[in-house]
Structure formats: C-alpha cells, structure tokens
Amino acid sequence: MTSPDTPTAPPAPGAPRPDTAAPPRDFPVQRGCPFAAPAEYDALRAHEPVARVTLPTGREAWVVTRYDDVRELLSDPRISADISRPAFPALGEGEQEAGARFRPFIRTDAPEHTRYRRMLLPVFTVRRVRAMRPLVQARVDEILDGLLAAGGPVDLVPAYANAVSTSVICELLGVPRENLEFFRDVTRISGSRHSTAEQVSEALGGLFGLLAELVARRREEPRDDLISRLVTEHLVPGRLTMDQLLSTLGITINAGRETTTSMIALSTLLLLERPELMEELRRDPSLMPAAVDELLRVLSVADSIPLRVAAEDIELSGRTIPADDGVIALLAGANHDPEQFDDPGRVDFRRTDNHHVAFGHGVHQCVGQHLARLELEIALETLVRRVPALRLAGSRDDVVVKHDSATFGLEVLKVTW
C-alpha cells in the first residue's frame, strides 16, 4: 500500500488508464452501409472528435474523426508511423510482430521512410503513369474479353477487380501474373485482423520466395521494370540489402493491388445500386476522373490504415494525446465531415473542391495514388461502356462484405449480364 505522496510508475504504452473519465469505446466498428462511414463516426466527430478506444488487442489508443484534425495530425512532425514502437495501435493479432520483423517502409519514419519513398517516386510520377494508359487499357480489355466470352454469372472480385489491379502492378514490377489468386491470398492473410504473426510470416515468406527468384534473374538479365531498376540502382551498389528490397517489393504489391481491388468492386456495387449514377457516367464519360475522386472519398476503403504513435504530446480539438500513445487518423471520418464536404453522404460526380484524404496526407501519402486513379478510371469506364446490362446475380444478401481486413471492401460480388 502506498501513501498519497508515493510516486507511481507511468502506465505502459497502450495500457488502460485508470484516470480515464469514461470507459473507452471498442474499435473498430462495422459499417452499417458499405457506402458510408460508420454512423458512430458522426457522433464522435460532433461530441468527442479525439476519443479513447479499446483495440482488439486489448490496448487503448485514440481515434481522430474531424477533417482538419486528421490533416493536422498526419502532417505533424511529432507523429510517428514506426511499427516497432511499443504503443503502435495495431488492429490485427500478428500485425505488429510481423511488421517489426519485415519493416514495410510505410510503417517507418524519416530518414528511413524518405529513402524508400525516393526510390519509388520516379516510377509513380504523373507523367510515367499517363504513359501507362494504353497498357492498362489493354489489360482491362483483355480481362473483360475473357469474362464476356465465358459468360455469367461470375464473381467480379477475383475475376475482374483483383485481375485488373494485380495484373497492372505485376506488369509494373516485372512479376509474372500466371497466378493472380496467389497475390490475393497473401494479402488476405497478411491484412486480416485475425491472422497470427506465424500465419502472416508464412504468407509473406511465400511471396518473398517468389520475389527472390525474380531478383536473382534480374541480376543476370535486367529488363525495363521496377525490380530491375531497384536491383541495378540500389541492390547491386549496396544501397539496399536483399531483405530490404524484398520488403519494399512486397509492400508495393500488397498495397498496390489491395486498395484498388476493393475500390473497383465496391464502386461497381454502388453503381449497380444507383443506376442513375451509372447512366450519368454512360452519357458523359468525361466525368470519370471526378467520379473516381468522389468514389474514393465516399467509400474510403483505407479508413484505418494511418496508424500512428505520438512521439510528443499533441493537442487536437482541445484534447491532449500524450506522448507514446497510439492514435488512428480515420480517413472515412474526415471524408464525411460536413464542415468540409457539403452533404457528405451524397454521391456527387460534379462536386467541386473535393480535397479528400482517401490516400492519406503528409509525408506518408500514398506514393501510388496516380496509378490507382488511372486503374479505377479505366476499369470502371470500360465496365460501364462495354457491359450496359450488368446486374447482380442473385440477391443483395449474396454480396459478402469484408469487415475484418485492413482495407474495407467486398469478398464476393456475383454479377451477370
């Protein structure tokens, strides 16, 4: 027993705080509608924009829901993305342990993060991505030709959404695309909140084994692809170790295909349920770039990807996030903030000043966002134009939604025409 003057040890990072005024809410929360942020975000934004939550791991962290706060937080130099920090607010059982082992560059801080980002940026510039339009269009047409020839019904998630996103990123890197479902399986396991560290390590180990073989070949015979570029410019001169190269390639594939797969499938479902929007795009294809940005805002599939730790005390909306506490910037919360977006639940392809944060914000903003936009534009425009009779096969209840993955989306979307 201690006296009132006896000093007490500070709580461990992420541990429950005995002085918290109200019990923290459980997080994450499921979406009631796949085309909107969880309803709880509105209440948090209005009454407790910086709120304490309990994660599936049992740790506590903070969530931030206001647009201005999310942007401020993600651009604050006092915030850390380092997954090895004890209070990192991992949402999956094995996420932090596996992440600390493999060190994906999106979960690191400067100068380490800056070095990796500079390696990849030249491949994802606006100019380079624009030059890829004919290639992406050819891949999309090839995949859709196969679907139409085979006939419906078909599950659009693996047969179109995953096929498009995985084919494009594999083409960019120089990875054979014979087994597209292999890459989907790797992401499904490594991105699941229920996977153990051993399961994540096994899935990523299979991916790294495939990539290591390709790296060995590119040492001998370089080609015009990203793997060859990283091998000749960074691995061979000793600027990267083999483990660092494999981790960089692995996260580029996972991140490059998973969010785009989710966006293609979820956007298609929204258009099928809102035929007037489908018809608007059919009448005026020039709307597609703006439509893609609006769909990115509304759907916000990467909602809780920005996991951070406060390196120092940070004040937002009158609350102090103490140093060494985990914090999650909720992108769907920000993208549905009525202070920033008029009638945020409305899908408006003619919305102006759509400065959403679907790709994050600050130094960790998605390096592949220009390629993602291009893929979405072409995949959706081609589907709308070439398959005017597209419809759900079966009932709406047959659509399977992913709630327990790092990226929100659909598991099954059966369609016919």
Side-chain angles (χ1 to χ4, degrees), residues 69-81:
D69 287 346
V70 165
R71 283 174 57 95
E72 182 178 340
L73 181 75
L74 293 179
S75 59
D76 195 317
R78 298 170 297 172
I79 204 73
S80 170

Side-chain angles (χ1 to χ4, degrees), residues 293-313:
D293 268 309
E294 178 69 341
L295 291 167
L296 285 163
R297 180 192 70 81
V298 170
L299 301 178
S300 294
V301 298
D303 176 33
S304 56
I305 293 292
L307 307 174
R308 302 289 189 266
V309 177
E312 301 177 23
D313 288 0

Side-chain angles (χ1 to χ4, degrees), residues 18 56 97 125 249 296 320 348-349 351:
E97 185 178 339
T125 63
L249 293 172
L296 285 163
T320 298
D348 182 0
F349 293 159
R351 187 183 294 274

Side-chain angles (χ1 to χ4, degrees), residues 141-314:
D141 283 331
E142 175 189 348
I143 291 164
L144 195 54
D145 286 344
L147 284 184
L148 296 176
V154 65
D155 183 354
L156 201 78
V157 178
Y160 189 69
N162 179 63
V164 168
S165 64
T166 308
S167 293
V168 171
I169 198 65
C170 286
E171 186 84 31
L172 181 70
L173 269 70
V175 176
R177 51 190 178 97
E178 287 87 358
N179 187 0
L180 300 181
E181 279 300 289
F182 166 77
F183 299 102
R184 187 179 178 213
D185 288 341
V186 170
T187 307
R188 183 188 287 117
I189 295 169
S190 61
S192 171
R193 293 171 183 155
H194 300 299
S195 295
T196 65
E198 291 75 18
Q199 290 170 327
V200 174
S201 295
E202 183 179 355
L204 292 178
L207 175 61
F208 292 162
L210 180 151
L211 292 173
E213 292 178 7
L214 292 172
V215 167
R217 291 182 209 164
R218 297 301 187 269
R219 275 180 179 269
E220 301 298 324
E221 298 180 14
R223 300 181 183 177
D224 183 18
D225 56 42
L226 180 57
I227 291 180
S228 298
R229 178 180 183 138
L230 293 179
V231 166
T232 57
E233 296 181 9
H234 299 280
L235 180 67
V236 172
R239 299 189 184 101
L240 274 183
T241 67
M242 175 63 88
D243 286 346
Q244 290 170 335
L245 174 58
L246 295 179
S247 177
T248 302
L249 293 172
I251 192 61
T252 302
I253 291 173
N254 274 357
R257 55 154 304 282
E258 178 64 5
T259 51
T260 309
T261 296
S262 294
M263 278 298 304
I264 292 172
L266 200 55
S267 297
T268 301
L269 177 62
L270 186 150
L271 293 174
L272 289 175
E273 295 199 352
R274 298 283 303 277
E276 72 280 8
L277 295 176
M278 182 91 79
E279 184 57 32
E280 186 177 15
L281 292 176
R282 196 171 283 123
R283 288 195 313 267
D284 187 359
S286 69
L287 282 176
M288 190 55 74
V292 164
D293 268 309
E294 178 69 341
L295 291 167
L296 285 163
R297 180 192 70 81
V298 170
L299 301 178
S300 294
V301 298
D303 176 33
S304 56
I305 293 292
L307 307 174
R308 302 289 189 266
V309 177
E312 301 177 23
D313 288 0
I314 297 175

Side-chain angles (χ1 to χ4, degrees), residues 112-123:
E112 185 178 2
H113 172 263
T114 309
R115 183 164 65 99
Y116 288 110
R117 192 174 179 90
R118 284 176 178 164
M119 290 180 198
L120 297 173
L121 272 175
V123 181

